Structures are given as C-alpha cells and as structure tokens.
Amino acid sequence: MTKLVLKVKGMHCASCAVLIDKLVGKQPGVMAINTSYGAEKVALEFDEAKIQLPQVDKFINQLGYDLIRPDEESGTLEEEEQKEAKQIRMAFRRFMASLGLSLPIIVYYMLIHMFNLPHTHAIKLFGHVVDLNYIYWILSTPIQFVIAWPFYRNAFTALRVGAANMDVLVVLGTSAAYFYSAIGFLFYNIDHPFWESSAALLTFILLGRYVEARAKGRASTAIKELLKLEAKEAHVWRNNEEVTVPLNEIRVDDIVIVRPGEKIPVDGIIVEGRSHIDEKVVTGESFPVGKSVGDEVIGATVNQDGLFKFRAVKVGKDTLLYQIVKMVEEAQSTKAPIQALVDKISEFFVPVVVVLSVIVFAGWVFGAALPFSAGLMRMIAVLVISCPCAMGLATPTALVVGIGRATKFGIILKGGEALEKAYRVNTIAFDKTGTLTEGKPVVTDMVPVPGMDYKEMLSLAAALETGSEHPLARAVVEKGKTELGHLPEVMDFRALQGMGIEGTVMGRRAVIGNPTIVKNLNLDASQLSAQYEELQNQAKTVVYMFLDGQLAGIIAMADTLKPNAVSAIAELKKMGKEIIMITGDNQKTAEAIGRQVGIDRVLAQVLPQDKEKVIAGLQAEGKVVAMVGDGINDSPALAKADLGIAIGSGTDVAIETGEVILVKDDLRDVVTAIQLSGKTIKKVWQNLFWAFIYNLVAIPIAGGIHLLITRSGGLPATWVVNLASYFGSIGPAFINFSQSSLRPEIAGFAMAFSSVSVVLNSLLLKRYVPPIEKQVA
C-alpha cells in the first residue's frame, strides 16, 4: 500500500476537489483519496499492484488539473511563491480585462435602472449613427468566450466524466443571457438585450475568484512559513578544514560548526561547546534553551550566544522540520467527518439547482404568463446565486488555518478527524511519569543533624553516590556537581544488596541506605525519625546517611512535577474537563502527586498493559476520553482513547503514536490544542451555517418568491411593497422587489461574496493566542 500527499494545480473552486475525489476514487486500486482545495493537495492511498501513479495522474489530467508527482517537484520555495504570485496576477488581469470591457455596459444600465431613464438605442459616433447594442455585443463577446473560456473548459470536462460543478452553473447562466441577447438583438429586434447580465455577472465572478485566491493563499501559509525557517548553508569540518556547503550537501555524521546568531542547519548532537538555542520556530518554546555536550539540537532553530560543534544525525527529509512539514501536509489534506456530508450534498446540489431553475423559468413564463425575458432572468439568477462554493470551502479553509496555527505553537494536529474529536472531549486522562512529572528523580530535601554542615554533607554524599548506577544515586551526584562543582574521591566503595552503599570519603566512613541498613548495622536514626516520617508521607523516597557510625542526616528524592503541570490542569478544569491520572505507582505516591497537581481522581498501580482497559472502562461510562502520554509505554492507551495526545520534546517526538503531537514538553499545549480545535470546529459550523442560510434565502429571492407574496395580499405584501418603495426612493434598483427578482449580475456578486466571506471568517483563527503566549506577553 502506497500513501502520498501531492500538489494539485488548476483547482479553482471547492467543487473541483469533490470532482477529483469522485472520479479517481472509483478507479480499481485506489483505496482512499482526499483532495483539499484549501491546501491544493491530494492525499492518496493506493495499491501499486493494481494502479500506478502515472495512471492516477492521467485521470486527474482528464479533469483539467495537474498532479505534481514526486519526480516532477523542482525549484525552491521562492520559485514556488513566484509561480503562485503569477497565478494571482493572471487572475487579477483577467478580472481587469473583463471589468474594462464590461464597465461601459454596467454604467449605462446602472444609470437606466437607478434613475428610470428611457433606453437610448443609438448614438452618433464619428459622424455615424451607431446602435449601442452593436457596441455592447462587441464588448460582451470577448468576455464570454475569451476571458471566461476556462469556465467553459472546466464545465465541459466535468460533464464529460458525468459530474457537475460550479462552472456548469456559471456557463448555463451566462450563456443563456448572452445567446438570448445576441439572437434576440440580431434576429428579433428585442427592446432590451441583457448584455449587462452576462458581462457584469462574469466580471463579478472573476473578482470573487481573484479575492478568493488571495485569501486562500493566506490560509495555506503554514508550510511555506515552516520551510522558510531552514538554513541555506552550513559550516562543515571536512579534510581538517572548515568548508561552507549548501544545506542539501550535509551528510550524516558530518561535524557542523554553528556560531552565535546562525541557524542550525540539521538535527544532531552537540560534541563540543555550549550555548542557548532559540527553538521557538519549531517547538514553540518561548525562551532559549541551554544546550551542552550530549544534548540534541534541531534544524532551523537559532544559536543565541556560544560557538559549538555538533554531529549531524538527521539530514534532508529526515529532520524534525521536514517531519513536521509532512505531518502538516497530510493533516491539511484530510477531511473532517462533517465534510463527507457536505461533499455528498454538493454532489447532488448542482443537478437539483439546474432542475429548480427550469421549474422557476417554466413557472413564471407558462404559469404566471410573464414575458420570456423575465422568466429567463430569474432562471439565470437562480443558477448563479446557488453555486455551492461557499459550502465546499466551509470546512477545508477552517482546517487549513486551524492546523497551520497549531503548528506555529509546536502542536501537530493530524487532520480534521482529530480536530472534531478534540472538540468533543470531556475527560482527559494523564500518564504520570514523564508526562505530569519530569520522569527522573531529583533531590528535594537534605536534612542534616544539628552541628552537621549542609555543604559538607552534600559533598560527602554525592562523592559516595558516584560509585552507584542507581537512578536515585545519579540524582544526588547531579545535585552535588551543580551546587559544588568538584567532588572528592571515594575509596573502598561497596554496594550493600537491598540496603544501600558504603565507602570512604576524605578519610571518613560513609554509609547511605534505607531503614534495613539501620537495623542490620545496629545504627541509631531516632534523632530524625519525625522528619523521616513527614517526608515519606509526601510520597518521597528517603534515605539515611551515616558518617563514622553516627547519623549525619537524611536525603529525600522524588520525581518532581513539570513546571507548568499545575497551571495546565487548573486551566483544563476551568474548561469543564474531568481530569484523571493513571499511574503504575503505589496509591500513596499517586495520591500525593494528585494533590500537588490538583487531580481528584487517581487510578494507581495500573500496569502499562492495563492502561488500555482503564480507558475502555472510562469510555463505557459514556465519556469521550483523551489520553495524554509520552507515546512509548502508553501507546496502547493512546490508540484506545478517543483522542491520543503524545507529548515529547525535540527529535524524540512520538510521531506515529498520537493524533495530536505536542512537540515541546509543555503541558499547557494540551490546553492550546483543545481550545484551538474547539475554535476551528466552531468556525466550520459558522461557515456551514452561513453557506446553507445563504442558499436557503438567496435561491427563493432569485426565483422571485416574494412576488407571490405581493400578489397574495395582506400584511406581508404591504411590507414587501413598502420595502421596494424604500429601495426605489434611495436610488439603487438592482433589487426591485415589486417588479422583478434579484438581477443576475448582483446574484453573481453575492455568490462571489459568500465564498470570500467563508475564507475571511476562517482567517480570523489566525488571531487566536494560546494561554502560554498570553502569560509570556
């Protein structure tokens, strides 16, 4: 099975994506296809034994679109941006050309309608009397068949494969107006050809396409912004000298030199030097992170102060930056479950509208005995105003912006389904070790007996613990090195199985161990028994220290909470979420951590393999559960949960585990992910509401339903007539309720505006600021 996310060029509206999915999805061997108009991407899953990528390319080409295959991808990001800018300029020129030709017609008919002026059929031009309709015919024809030729091409392509899209409606509507005007003027001398309807209608639609293209470009900037972050070149140590090479020439195991202010070109491990690195561009981390020998560095981040060398571990497409780009591409190419319903409606919408427009025409011409021209105008208005572009754009534009915004904060949302799930989550289960806590013990308390110097006790204890490999020993050593720097040497070190350790430090016999060592060596620890009990009640691991057979003090260690755990849990509880902690620790330790972090429901002594069962139990209670874990031991629970949130840091991110990936190790990002998903889904619903309401209101008005009300008498009729009089009194009579329906050219403008408004509403998501950013500000 092959999975690819590829670019698709040539899509001009949301129904294009539905058309591609419909045709290619029917082909044998294509297991799944999701085309996103907003991201201009297609996510393909196919069996190469049954269908090859060139065949898929051929089918998409038949529809008039270009699939950019992996072997065809070339050029820099700047070149891609130049191509997109050229396409936008072409859309603008097309609109301006149409506007230039149609403006005389629009102005003329606008003045007639606004001021109820009589039609002027002829003017004197260069000493000759010329019928204005000839001029309007000459102006309208290139708009209809040259500037608007792409509409015809795309409509014919869609019909050829048995589908109907927005272009079919545009072509039917404008062609009806144009041919009625041309035939009627040339052969039947009709009094009022509808040149303004076809010319102005196409002009307004082209304006909408141009504005939509610009707005859509702003919506899909997340990947471009990510790719702009990478360095262009690197300083590499080769053949005993420093050389500068392009980014694509860096090889695994190269030693790369990074100076202050430079970008780190690829992922690697520091082998010499230390510095502070600004990782915000990739992880969203607000403050520079200290790095030294052995620490990982991420490509595209910025070195702040020191010079260091690192060994390249991941280069090219394997770096974290490109992994994020890949995940964002895949996410933006997916569809939210609600989109499936919208696509189904859009598929049947165009044929239904065509039938409805014919009914409107027949009803007014044959049923109400109105002139042919009046019925035609209403039919055209229905065809044009009901284009389903706004419905098709409602979901993908919101997803593209929402997913892109999350990426900026170091949160990878794996598609629309993850967004919808996050929006519905009401219960969040946290793993303890490595998620709520740091995952490694640290010394929290050192209590020397009266008369014992704190620094002397720490120096002797840390020196003795250098002989042990136990994680608790490393915590004491790390504290000693951090606070004191140099540690004395230990002699005659010996591990006492199940009890502790002993050795000679600076001529003194030192012993560190648990209560068993006290009993077995007949030592007296009663002096600090109260303090020992108190620290144990705080769920800390406590050991005794003896020097030359006398109690020197006690040392307490614990796995401490992550810095922002308490604030993150508090914020989630404010949002009304039920918070649960699942851990393999004993009940006493688990409850102590729960109290510290503010979690009321604690499930302790749960083995890793049983966490999945716990999640299933919570779901059986009717809860929608999100599981937050480190993505390693918690994988079964993450997979079982309604929403898996994998938390990690740097290049250790558990990419394949969760549906939401938190790149940096900050629990407040759980809040951000859930908040942003909620806001994104709300935008989807707002867009869909506007799109559906727009069609429910606009189609009847375009069809002239209000005329039935005015003819029926009563209060509604009086209200509509008064409204029409008001419109007439202020001038614009493009909408004349008492005599005609919504004019086709205004219907075209309204249709274009509805699509643009959906995109602009989605772009408001760019204003979202997560709690972590607010706190920094």
Side-chain angles (χ1 to χ4, degrees):
M1 195 66 62
T2 303
K3 293 182 180 180
L4 293 173
V5 177
L6 303 171
K7 295 178 183 177
V8 178
K9 297 295 183 183
M11 290 192 294
H12 51 273
C13 74
S15 56
C16 295
V18 177
L19 191 60
I20 293 172
D21 287 351
K22 181 179 180 181
L23 176 68
V24 180
K26 290 179 178 178
Q27 307 308 316
V30 176
M31 311 305 294
I33 179 169
N34 280 315
T35 307
S36 170
Y37 168 58
E40 291 189 318
K41 302 276 186 181
V42 57
L44 271 172
E45 186 175 338
F46 61 97
D47 184 352
E48 285 193 289
K50 297 179 180 179
I51 189 169
Q52 299 290 316
L53 187 58
Q55 292 173 276
V56 177
D57 189 4
K58 179 182 177 182
F59 289 126
I60 292 178
N61 253 272
Q62 288 177 358
L63 296 173
Y65 313 112
D66 295 318
L67 182 69
I68 310 300
R69 290 185 284 173
D71 58 315
E72 296 173 336
E73 288 188 4
S74 60
T76 63
L77 179 63
E78 289 75 13
E79 290 172 342
E80 284 293 320
E81 290 183 331
Q82 288 173 7
K83 289 179 183 178
E84 289 185 12
K86 182 179 179 181
Q87 291 174 348
I88 292 175
R89 285 196 301 272
M90 286 295 293
F92 179 70
R93 289 171 184 165
R94 195 176 291 275
F95 159 67
M96 290 301 296
S98 182
L99 179 64
L101 291 170
S102 63
L103 197 58
I105 310 174
I106 295 172
V107 170
Y108 173 70
Y109 281 101
M110 184 172 65
L111 292 174
I112 287 176
H113 287 301
M114 286 180 65
F115 300 106
N116 200 24
L117 300 176
H119 287 279
T120 302
H121 292 285
I123 60 171
K124 200 166 186 179
L125 189 65
F126 303 116
H128 299 279
V129 176
V130 179
D131 190 329
L132 277 176
N133 283 308
Y134 278 110
I135 296 176
Y136 297 152
W137 179 40
I138 293 171
L139 292 174
S140 297
T141 301
I143 298 175
Q144 190 73 36
F145 299 110
V146 179
I147 297 173
W149 169 246
F151 292 108
Y152 282 92
R153 181 195 62 205
N154 296 326
F156 292 151
T157 301
L159 292 173
R160 191 176 70 243
V161 297
N165 59 7
M166 170 188 167
D167 293 312
V168 172
L169 298 182
V170 173
V171 166
L172 285 175
T174 59
S175 297
Y178 175 84
F179 285 112
Y180 170 79
S181 300
I183 294 171
F185 160 63
L186 292 172
F187 299 104
Y188 297 100
N189 197 29
I190 59 173
D191 180 61
H192 181 193
F194 298 120
W195 305 117
E196 82 280 15
S197 293
S198 62
L201 173 54
L202 287 169
T203 300
F204 284 137
I205 293 174
L206 289 168
L207 172 61
R209 290 278 173 90
Y210 165 67
V211 176
E212 185 182 308
R214 292 200 60 178
K216 185 168 67 69
R218 289 172 57 199
S220 57
T221 56
I223 292 175
K224 298 175 192 172
E225 289 176 356
L226 280 173
L227 290 174
K228 285 179 180 177
L229 300 175
E230 65 180 1
K232 305 302 179 188
E233 58 185 20
H235 311 300
V236 179
W237 189 259
R238 287 180 183 168
N239 301 321
N240 295 320
E241 65 175 348
E242 180 184 324
V243 294
T244 302
V245 299
L247 187 66
N248 59 6
E249 291 185 13
I250 301 176
R251 299 189 294 265
V252 172
D253 291 331
D254 271 343
I255 300 300
V256 184
I257 304 162
V258 185
R259 294 179 172 83
E262 292 182 343
K263 286 185 177 180
I264 297 168
V266 294
D267 299 351
I269 297 175
I270 295 178
V271 295
E272 182 182 325
R274 61 174 61 235
S275 182
H276 287 84
I277 297 175
D278 183 355
E279 297 183 338
K280 185 174 184 179
V281 292
V282 175
T283 68
E285 179 63 54
S286 300
F287 299 102
V289 180
K291 301 279 186 176
S292 59
V293 175
D295 288 334
E296 295 174 334
V297 292
I298 305 170
T301 58
V302 181
N303 181 22
Q304 293 285 289
D305 41 47
L307 181 148
F308 64 88
K309 298 178 181 179
F310 74 92
R311 180 172 58 84
V313 175
K314 292 183 179 179
V315 301
K317 303 291 185 182
D318 295 325
T319 62
L320 177 64
L321 177 68
Y322 272 92
Q323 288 174 357
I324 292 174
V325 167
K326 181 183 176 183
M327 286 189 289
V328 173
E329 284 183 332
E330 290 175 352
Q332 291 185 337
S333 301
T334 61
K335 294 179 180 178
I338 190 176
Q339 183 66 24
L341 174 62
V342 175
D343 288 347
K344 201 69 178 175
I345 294 173
S346 297
E347 187 177 343
F348 294 102
F349 191 78
V350 173
V352 168
V353 167
V354 172
V355 172
L356 184 61
S357 67
V358 172
I359 293 172
V360 167
F361 172 80
W364 286 113
V365 174
F366 301 110
L370 288 186
F372 179 88
S373 59
L376 181 65
M377 285 297 95
R378 286 164 193 146
M379 182 185 79
I380 295 171
V382 168
L383 284 171
V384 173
I385 206 167
S386 56
C387 288
C389 246
M391 281 191 294
L393 282 168
T395 301
T397 53
L399 292 185
V400 166
V401 178
I403 290 169
R405 189 65 177 163
T407 303
K408 182 177 177 62
F409 302 123
I411 300 167
I412 309 300
L413 297 165
K414 290 190 175 180
E417 190 171 356
L419 278 168
E420 279 204 33
K421 288 179 180 178
Y423 175 66
R424 294 186 288 108
V425 162
N426 54 33
T427 302
I428 305 174
F430 284 87
D431 170 51
K432 182 183 78 70
T433 305
T435 301
L436 289 170
T437 66
E438 294 287 359
K440 61 178 183 178
V442 296
V443 175
T444 58
D445 304 89
M446 289 196 71
V447 185
V449 296
M452 170 59 68
D453 180 68
Y454 169 84
K455 287 188 176 180
E456 181 184 4
M457 177 183 171
L458 176 58
S459 176
L460 295 171
L464 180 61
E465 294 283 16
T466 57
S468 174
E469 292 296 324
H470 196 281
L472 295 176
R474 289 198 292 270
V476 178
V477 173
E478 187 174 330
K479 184 175 180 65
K481 287 182 176 180
T482 302
E483 294 190 14
L484 304 175
H486 176 72
L487 298 178
E489 187 178 354
V490 60
M491 307 289 291
D492 302 325
F493 176 84
R494 187 163 68 101
L496 305 173
Q497 188 67 32
M499 296 187 293
I501 57 176
E502 65 177 354
T504 302
V505 183
M506 297 178 66
R508 305 189 69 179
R509 193 62 183 170
V511 175
I512 296 177
N514 57 32
T516 305
I517 208 171
V518 176
K519 181 179 179 181
N520 288 357
L521 298 181
N522 294 317
L523 299 171
D524 181 12
S526 59
Q527 189 175 356
L528 296 178
S529 59
Q531 292 92 327
Y532 185 95
E533 187 70 24
E534 182 183 347
L535 291 171
Q536 272 207 322
N537 289 336
Q538 296 174 18
K540 296 177 180 178
T541 300
V542 189
V543 294
Y544 293 103
M545 180 176 180
F546 296 89
L547 291 173
D548 299 326
Q550 300 297 314
L551 181 64
I554 55 177
I555 305 171
M557 289 157 284
D559 184 5
T560 57
L561 291 176
K562 287 186 177 176
N564 301 304
V566 175
S567 59
I569 298 301
E571 193 68 32
L572 289 170
K573 291 173 84 171
K574 281 183 188 176
M575 295 164 62
K577 309 298 182 185
E578 180 184 358
I579 311 299
I580 298 170
M581 185 175 76
I582 305 175
T583 178
D585 273 352
N586 61 69
Q587 192 70 36
K588 189 174 183 179
T589 301
E591 288 178 354
I593 294 294
R595 285 194 299 272
Q596 290 179 44
V597 80
I599 297 177
D600 301 321
R601 187 173 179 183
V602 175
L603 304 177
Q605 295 177 309
V606 180
L607 297 175
Q609 59 267 32
D610 293 333
K611 289 182 179 180
E612 180 183 4
K613 297 176 183 177
V614 172
I615 297 297
L618 294 171
Q619 291 169 328
E621 296 175 19
K623 304 179 188 299
V624 181
V625 184
M627 174 69 192
V628 184
D630 60 11
I632 303 168
N633 294 331
D634 301 314
S635 296
L638 288 167
K640 182 64 178 176
D642 296 287
L643 181 72
I645 302 177
I647 185 166
S649 58
T651 54
D652 288 331
V653 139
I655 293 173
E656 298 299 328
T657 309
E659 294 167 284
V660 178
I661 308 297
L662 309 183
V663 178
K664 65 180 187 291
D665 220 352
D666 193 328
L667 285 173
R668 291 175 296 180
D669 287 341
V670 177
V671 180
T672 301
I674 291 176
Q675 280 187 350
L676 190 53
S677 69
K679 290 183 180 296
T680 303
I681 296 300
K682 284 179 182 177
K683 284 295 176 191
V684 169
W685 282 111
Q686 288 172 8
N687 291 346
L688 288 173
F689 175 81
W690 163 246
F692 280 109
I693 290 298
Y694 162 81
N695 278 293
L696 286 174
V697 173
I699 292 176
I701 291 177
I705 194 171
H706 53 281
L707 298 180
L708 297 176
I709 299 174
T710 57
R711 292 184 179 192
S712 65
L715 183 61
T718 305
W719 180 83
V720 172
V721 171
N722 289 339
L723 181 63
S725 300
Y726 169 74
F727 271 97
S729 67
I730 61 174
F734 279 104
I735 307 173
N736 190 337
F737 282 87
S738 61
Q739 297 177 17
S740 66
S741 301
L742 201 65
R743 293 192 60 78
E745 60 268 31
I746 301 305
F749 179 81
M751 181 273 294
F753 173 76
S754 70
S755 297
V756 172
S757 67
V758 163
V759 178
L760 294 178
N761 185 48
S762 298
L763 284 171
L764 292 177
L765 283 168
K766 285 180 172 282
R767 299 167 62 184
Y768 169 76
V769 178
I772 185 172
E773 294 289 316
K774 292 176 182 176
Q775 291 171 21
V776 171

